[in-house]
Amino acid sequence: GDKFGAEYAAGVTTKAGTADKYAMQWAADGNSKGTEKLVSNDPDFTSLLTIDGKFFSVTHFETPRPGAAYLSELEQDDKGKLTVKATKAIDFSTDGGLWIPCAGSVTPWMTHLGSEEYEPNARAFYESTTLGKGSIRDFMRYWGKYEPEATFTKEKAIAGGFYPYQYGYPWETVVKSDFTETTKKLYSHGRQAWELSYVMPDSRTVYGTDDGTNVFFTYFKANTAKDLSAGTNYCAKYTQTSAATSEAKDWTATIEWIAMPTATHDDVEAAIKTTTFADLFDSETCLTDKSGAGADGVCPTAGFTSVNTGGYGCECLKVKPGKEALAGTLEKRRYAGYLGCTTEFRKWEGITYDSKNKKIYTALSAVQYGMEDNMKNGEADTKYDLGGSNHLRMKHNTCGCVMEMEVDDNFLATKAKMLACGTINVDEATKAVDKCVITGMASPDNVAMIGELDQLIIGEDTSSHQNDLVWIYDLKSGAMTRIGSTPYGSETTSPYWHTLGNYSYMTFVVQHPYGESDANKAAEAPVLAKTNAESAAPPATAGYVGYIGPFPRVVAAVSRTSAQARCCTSDLTLAEFKTLRGKMDGANYQATTAAAYQDGTSKTRTDMYAAGSHGKLVTHKESIALIQKWGRKATPELKTYTKGAGMLEYNAVRAKVVQEYKDASFSAENVWLQSFNVADIKWWIHNEAPFGAQAVYLDNAYCDGSASTAGRNTASAYSDDIGCKNADLGTAEEYSPMRDNFQLFKDHKINYVAPPMQMLIAVQNGKYVPSDYAKAAKAAGVKIITWTLERSGPLGGGGGWYYGTSLSLTNNDGDKFELLHVLHKDVGVVGVFSDWPATTTFYANCLIQQTKNKCTNNPLYPATLGPRPRYLIDDMADSDLKNMLNECIQDNTVLYTPQDFSIGHRGAAMMFPEHTEESYIAAMEMGAGIVECDVAVTKDGELVCRHDQCDLHT
């Protein structure tokens, strides 16, 4: 009820054009219109959205009927604090109003996905003779109708504008930066008790959970990425692989997906007001022992199929010819049972995805009823299995569980097990108040991933804890930590992890304090503060929306503050170095032995080519010879030098790097020396021309590329919030050219700079654009190289550190080509380091330097690209760039030749141990025109290729 100008937050609005803007409470008699404005006390999910640099939120208000949703514009101060600038109700007039909005999510393209829970039972509605008091009568207030209970019928509901098939859908709100929005129900997704919809990183697969009794699991596959209006529904069939009547915590299953007939959005919209349940199905009564037929759950007539869904018990149904698509969409749960999908779950709540580990996590508030084997909370009862499939047979657990599902490369769940379950309290002294033990969860409601930290947020909606709790579940250790508690009688629901700009926020809401229990304690509660000067101080019973935070933005990274294992190249002679084998870059930072420390390969890479005799290490000289043999070019990076007693002086090392190219008669124009130390670059320019003319400065500031950070040399010069290193810009060794607008570059004739990709890219109007840094470098005439493509793993979670300035936009692997296109076309980069050079080779051959219809006897031509470019193109949203790349990959006359634009980062480090002979050859086979050797120095003064001078993660 907080006031913002002319708007009351949580005020339940009527259909546009109705006499009263807000619905009214019932009068004291319960049968007529009252005089008090109807304000919701039950906030549910709140999204936080970034739209063209501005911040917004959308909040659901679950009860009363009709439901409501509000769009708010937010302000964020320099410390990350959020305040509401303005708010307004979202208009659902074109879709007949909003039914029960429960949880929600944010799509990868930054739109809001809402829900409608507990859809009206259309069969009961159309078969009724009177409706009386209930949700539909309350909902009629949307049209300004306040019908007396005794005379309220379906005829009056229809005359007032109510049709049951208009409710029970997810909905999408697209917010614009001018504080306008468009909202649309997603009719093709079908009717069910939508807890929430959740879009996977491919921007096509949309999972949906179904809250209630005898419910099911489903996904919608959109025809086009980021367009959820058209596609196909699928329902899940679970095959239990654990023992029958196992404990819930031990339950396991495999998952099969069955396609459902799906009506189009327009067909559903056209059918809403003209279709009844009887138009879709013929029905008859299931046989039971009581009928005398001696058969339970069997349909009397051939051609009918028995189902048990939605808490309606056994039903015998036969779909009418030609109505399959409408029946499968308007009566989606019943049709899922009709197809043989599993419809026995209980209270299916929130869902989230761990993109790093490819796992879905989802909450079941209770394990009971249909999930048991013909029982109800451990007592014999056939109600929930009669006529159904009885796929699930486990012991009841009224405290609920969080389920884990494995996901394949197509984002389809394939296996399921319980991650964690609550525990029923058997302590006589406390179980009356807390039915589930308070050291664990009770009735888990919604869940959310903090992917950067490998942690799962779990909220509760329970009467089994006196206070509903919020938990953090650590996916690495399995430890659960209680981090939040709500007032008596309230639920905490819809936790979510959002990032706005440089800050992250954990949101959850408090519904109806002192409403479900302990009403007598409301008077003892502390007074709540006023939200703003316009609003009155809220009562203790008011629901509220807020966040925990702000937290400085966390970019996915491995903490390296624990285990360390060192073996410096300078501790080894060349002969000793050559006895070793290369390994994939990675470490287990929780290890207690050196061997275990080295066993830390990312799940997005493979150790397949690091075993046995593979992983041949090479000297700098050998890398030069190999690169010459393949007719390629070289970019050695001089690493930090760890000088031991009797070893080469540093200037001698600088000179030796160049001399080995001279000794091999390797042309200076085919060599790009690299260093993070600007003093190295200046030394080469002064002492080793013409090699110094192409020396590349690797910018060590790691900043976000915005001009607002330039020129500072304080500890906060470049914010850690986006994963930046705080470089001391006053030293020669750590220098950012943004400090002086590239003046030092001009003064010292430095011609090349190589910052990470995030420094070159910003997001504007939903697109990648050049950063201030990129514009300044280009204006100064400096040539730009960048790093590193194909190093972040799948981009469904935003891409991590390398995409630090574009996490809000990056959401699928196809975005690599979108980013690459801006880097080439708009930023003007001349080369891109890649762990999988086939990607950059393909792009360069298609859009930079295309060769056609030329044959060659050189066995090293053409480049071998493999399937990855096609996979990335398939992941792209429809665009002119996608069309161009598709046209190229389908053109059999294109010859993929090596390209200098494509630089093998440590070789082809995505698959082969870096800085090994195999990795270098693989990079050149993929068409890398330039290959990198990171130069380290052995104890006896020989140059070898190794990324980290001392750390055994390489």
Side-chain angles (χ1 to χ4, degrees):
D2 289 334
K3 197 168 186 298
F4 295 89
E7 297 283 350
Y8 288 88
V12 178
T13 55
T14 59
K15 181 179 179 180
T18 305
D20 295 318
K21 178 177 180 179
Y22 296 100
M24 296 296 174
Q25 297 184 28
W26 289 103
D29 63 6
N31 282 300
S32 60
K33 176 181 173 181
T35 58
E36 292 293 322
K37 200 183 281 93
L38 190 62
V39 176
S40 175
N41 195 31
D42 295 292
D44 207 293
F45 177 70
T46 293
S47 63
L48 298 180
L49 307 171
T50 304
I51 310 296
D52 296 341
K54 293 184 177 181
F55 304 129
F56 301 88
S57 70
V58 175
T59 300
H60 300 181
F61 293 94
E62 187 174 19
T63 59
R65 314 289 180 271
Y70 272 72
L71 170 65
S72 299
E73 184 173 3
L74 309 178
E75 289 184 325
Q76 183 189 64
D77 70 13
D78 58 358
K79 299 295 176 72
K81 180 181 178 181
L82 299 176
T83 54
V84 176
K85 181 179 178 181
T87 193
K88 64 178 182 180
I90 293 175
D91 183 14
F92 287 85
S93 295
T94 58
D95 287 316
L98 179 61
W99 191 246
I100 306 170
C102 194
S105 65
V106 178
T107 68
W109 54 98
M110 204 53 68
T111 60
H112 175 100
L113 273 192
S115 61
E116 290 185 309
E117 193 178 38
Y118 304 138
E119 83 286 9
N121 183 351
R123 180 178 186 179
F125 177 87
Y126 283 113
E127 292 177 356
S128 70
T129 56
T130 182
L131 295 175
K133 185 177 181 180
S135 292
I136 296 175
R137 176 173 170 263
D138 286 344
F139 193 88
M140 299 305 295
R141 292 180 290 189
Y142 181 67
W143 294 280
K145 308 292 185 183
Y146 297 80
E147 298 288 347
E149 176 185 344
T151 59
F152 184 54
T153 63
K154 67 174 177 286
E155 288 78 14
K156 286 191 174 182
I158 292 170
F162 183 87
Y163 298 89
Y165 284 135
Q166 194 151 33
Y167 309 100
Y169 302 95
W171 44 276
E172 183 177 19
T173 294
V174 180
V175 180
K176 295 183 179 179
S177 59
D178 62 358
F179 196 41
T180 60
E181 54 76 28
T182 54
T183 297
K184 181 179 182 181
K185 289 187 183 179
L186 301 171
Y187 288 140
S188 280
H189 293 232
R191 291 174 73 249
Q192 61 189 69
W194 288 95
E195 175 73 16
L196 65 79
S197 294
Y198 188 92
V199 183
M200 298 295 277
D202 63 352
S203 297
R204 292 183 60 205
T205 305
V206 187
Y207 282 101
T209 53
D210 188 26
D211 191 356
T213 298
N214 280 51
V215 294
F216 71 138
F217 191 43
T218 179
Y219 82 86
F220 177 85
K221 194 74 165 187
N223 294 337
T224 305
K226 303 182 182 180
D227 178 2
L228 303 184
S229 63
T232 303
N233 288 306
Y234 294 80
C235 57
K237 178 182 178 181
Y238 285 73
T239 300
Q240 184 165 322
T241 52
S242 55
T245 69
S246 62
E247 296 287 344
K249 65 182 179 62
D250 299 321
W251 174 82
T252 59
T254 58
I255 305 171
E256 173 190 351
W257 291 99
I258 300 175
M260 301 185 69
T262 306
T264 67
H265 180 94
D266 290 345
D267 286 348
V268 172
E269 192 169 35
I272 283 171
K273 296 181 180 181
T274 60
T275 303
T276 68
F277 181 84
D279 294 326
L280 303 174
F281 291 101
D282 290 321
S283 61
E284 61 182 20
T285 302
C286 293
L287 294 176
T288 67
D289 282 339
K290 294 177 182 179
S291 69
D296 281 350
V298 175
C299 298
T301 307
F304 282 77
T305 299
S306 63
V307 301
N308 192 325
T309 69
Y312 308 139
C314 183
E315 298 177 295
C316 284
L317 304 175
K318 182 171 72 172
V319 67
K320 294 198 171 181
K323 297 295 185 179
E324 292 82 3
L326 278 177
T329 309
L330 297 176
E331 292 291 348
K332 187 178 174 186
R333 189 188 305 108
R334 283 178 165 116
Y335 207 99
Y338 194 81
L339 291 174
C341 289
T342 303
T343 58
E344 300 156 44
F345 290 97
R346 167 76 171 144
K347 294 293 294 176
W348 205 320
E349 308 288 354
I351 184 170
T352 191
Y353 179 58
D354 176 2
S355 61
K356 183 187 299 182
N357 298 304
K358 299 175 72 172
K359 300 283 180 67
I360 285 173
Y361 298 105
T362 184
L364 295 157
S365 279
V367 175
Q368 58 184 170
Y369 303 174
M371 299 180 73
E372 304 174 72
D373 185 8
N374 286 291
M375 290 188 177
K376 179 180 180 180
N377 294 335
E379 302 292 332
D381 192 325
T382 62
K383 175 182 177 180
Y384 304 101
D385 285 314
L386 183 68
S389 53
N390 201 16
H391 293 154
L392 307 180
R393 302 181 182 190
M394 67 191 88
K395 291 182 179 179
H396 78 286
N397 183 336
T398 53
C399 297
C401 299
V402 172
M403 183 193 298
E404 173 187 293
M405 288 182 272
E406 296 182 14
V407 175
D408 66 17
D409 290 339
N410 294 315
F411 297 103
L412 298 187
T414 58
K415 295 180 181 179
K417 67 177 184 178
M418 296 305 183
L419 175 74
C421 297
T423 303
I424 297 172
N425 189 5
V426 296
D427 181 9
E428 294 293 336
T430 60
K431 69 180 185 180
V433 175
D434 291 303
K435 299 180 182 66
C436 302
V437 297
I438 60 173
T439 55
M441 70 180 82
S443 310
D445 187 50
N446 275 283
V447 293
M449 272 298 300
I450 310 177
E452 305 94 323
L453 302 178
D454 289 324
Q455 292 177 338
L456 183 69
I457 312 170
I458 304 172
E460 295 184 346
D461 174 8
T462 185
S463 58
S464 296
H465 280 162
Q466 187 173 27
N467 297 89
D468 285 27
L469 305 173
V470 182
W471 302 85
I472 289 288
Y473 184 97
D474 188 276
L475 294 169
K476 291 180 179 177
S477 68
M480 283 187 68
T481 303
R482 187 171 65 192
I483 63 163
S485 173
T486 65
Y488 295 138
S490 63
E491 67 176 85
T492 174
T493 187
S494 295
Y496 215 82
W497 183 258
H498 299 276
T499 297
L500 301 183
N502 293 335
Y503 295 94
S504 294
Y505 305 83
M506 183 189 299
T507 56
F508 60 85
V509 300
V510 174
Q511 284 192 357
H512 50 68
Y514 309 98
E516 290 184 348
S517 66
D518 301 285
N520 60 316
K521 295 187 170 103
E524 306 168 10
V527 176
L528 299 175
K530 292 172 62 173
T531 302
N532 56 32
E534 299 178 86
S535 304
T541 55
Y544 43 96
V545 177
Y547 63 84
I548 297 176
F551 301 97
R553 186 175 192 174
V554 178
V555 175
V558 180
S559 170
R560 305 194 177 191
T561 59
S562 48
Q564 291 184 344
R566 287 172 59 84
C567 179
C568 294
T569 311
S570 56
D571 294 334
L572 306 172
T573 65
L574 176 60
E576 291 169 330
F577 179 80
K578 294 287 278 186
T579 65
L580 305 176
R581 290 284 167 184
K583 63 178 290 293
M584 299 301 287
D585 185 7
N588 174 7
Y589 294 99
Q590 284 72 51
T592 57
T593 67
Y597 179 85
Q598 295 178 80
D599 187 17
T601 304
S602 163
K603 291 183 178 180
T604 62
R605 296 169 185 261
T606 178
D607 285 318
M608 183 180 297
Y609 303 109
S613 61
H614 298 294
K616 181 180 178 182
L617 300 181
V618 296
T619 66
H620 182 233
K621 286 181 182 178
E622 289 169 341
S623 77
I624 293 171
L626 186 63
I627 292 167
Q628 276 186 314
K629 177 181 177 182
W630 280 72
R632 302 298 202 273
K633 302 171 185 179
T635 181
E637 178 193 336
L638 181 56
K639 306 301 290 186
T640 301
Y641 181 40
T642 306
K643 182 180 180 294
M647 292 182 63
L648 294 173
E649 295 299 324
Y650 193 43
N651 283 347
V653 174
R654 288 166 166 164
K656 188 176 177 74
V657 173
V658 176
Q659 188 61 45
E660 293 193 346
Y661 287 97
K662 292 179 179 178
D663 293 344
S665 299
F666 207 112
S667 173
E669 66 182 13
N670 293 331
V671 179
W672 286 262
L673 304 168
Q674 304 176 73
S675 179
F676 280 103
N677 185 348
V678 74
D680 291 341
I681 307 299
K682 291 190 284 186
W683 192 93
W684 283 321
I685 291 171
H686 182 71
N687 295 285
E688 290 290 356
F691 285 87
Q694 293 192 162
V696 182
Y697 174 59
L698 301 165
D699 193 340
N700 203 32
Y702 298 179
C703 71
D704 66 358
S706 64
S708 62
T709 60
R712 303 181 197 170
N713 59 2
T714 65
S716 61
Y718 295 115
S719 170
D720 278 328
D721 302 340
I722 57 166
C724 295
K725 177 179 177 181
N726 289 328
D728 178 359
L729 304 184
T731 69
E733 288 74 22
E734 293 185 326
Y735 161 83
S736 176
M738 278 292 278
R739 183 183 180 197
D740 61 9
N741 201 28
F742 290 86
Q743 188 59 50
L744 182 142
F745 272 44
K746 297 171 186 175
D747 293 345
H748 290 274
K749 298 182 173 56
I750 302 174
N751 296 317
Y752 286 83
V753 67
M757 294 188 304
Q758 65 158 298
M759 288 174 64
L760 297 174
I761 292 295
V763 173
Q764 184 177 334
N765 297 325
K767 299 185 183 215
Y768 298 114
V769 297
S771 68
D772 295 335
Y773 182 107
K775 295 173 186 175
K778 194 172 184 179
V782 177
K783 295 180 181 178
I784 307 171
I785 297 171
T786 193
W787 41 280
T788 302
L789 200 72
E790 298 281 28
R791 192 157 183 83
S792 302
L795 300 187
W801 187 86
Y802 290 96
Y803 296 80
T805 54
S806 60
L807 293 174
S808 62
L809 180 62
T810 305
N811 58 58
N812 71 80
D813 285 349
D815 286 337
K816 291 176 183 174
F817 278 136
E818 299 286 355
L819 180 70
L820 201 55
H821 196 49
V822 172
L823 287 170
H824 161 61
K825 183 173 64 74
D826 299 328
V827 175
V829 299
V830 297
V832 178
F833 284 90
S834 177
D835 278 14
W836 190 261
T839 301
T840 41
T841 300
F842 169 74
Y843 176 86
N845 274 280
C846 288
L847 297 180
I848 299 177
Q849 183 180 346
Q850 193 172 98
T851 303
K852 285 191 175 186
N853 299 318
K854 292 184 180 179
C855 297
T856 175
N857 294 321
N858 187 339
L860 305 181
Y861 290 80
T864 303
L865 301 183
R868 187 155 180 79
R870 190 180 299 275
Y871 162 78
L872 297 179
I873 294 170
D874 287 345
D875 240 14
M876 295 174 69
D878 290 341
S879 64
D880 291 341
L881 176 60
K882 181 175 184 177
N883 294 338
M884 288 189 289
L885 294 175
N886 256 327
E887 183 179 340
C888 179
I889 205 167
Q890 293 167 15
D891 186 347
N892 293 328
T893 68
V894 174
L895 183 67
Y896 295 103
T897 62
Q899 299 282 337
D900 291 352
F901 182 81
S902 180
I903 305 173
H905 183 242
R906 313 178 197 175
M910 186 176 176
M911 181 171 284
F912 294 88
E914 59 190 35
H915 296 306
T916 61
E917 182 178 282
E918 294 92 335
S919 188
Y920 291 153
I921 290 174
M924 292 185 286
E925 285 181 331
M926 292 183 194
I930 304 173
V931 179
E932 178 189 42
C933 165
D934 288 341
V935 180
V937 186
T938 65
K939 185 176 182 179
D940 49 355
E942 296 300 326
L943 306 184
V944 296
C945 300
R946 181 188 178 189
H947 173 65
D948 197 293
Q949 175 73 358
C950 292
D951 196 321
L952 275 178
H953 71 81
T954 64

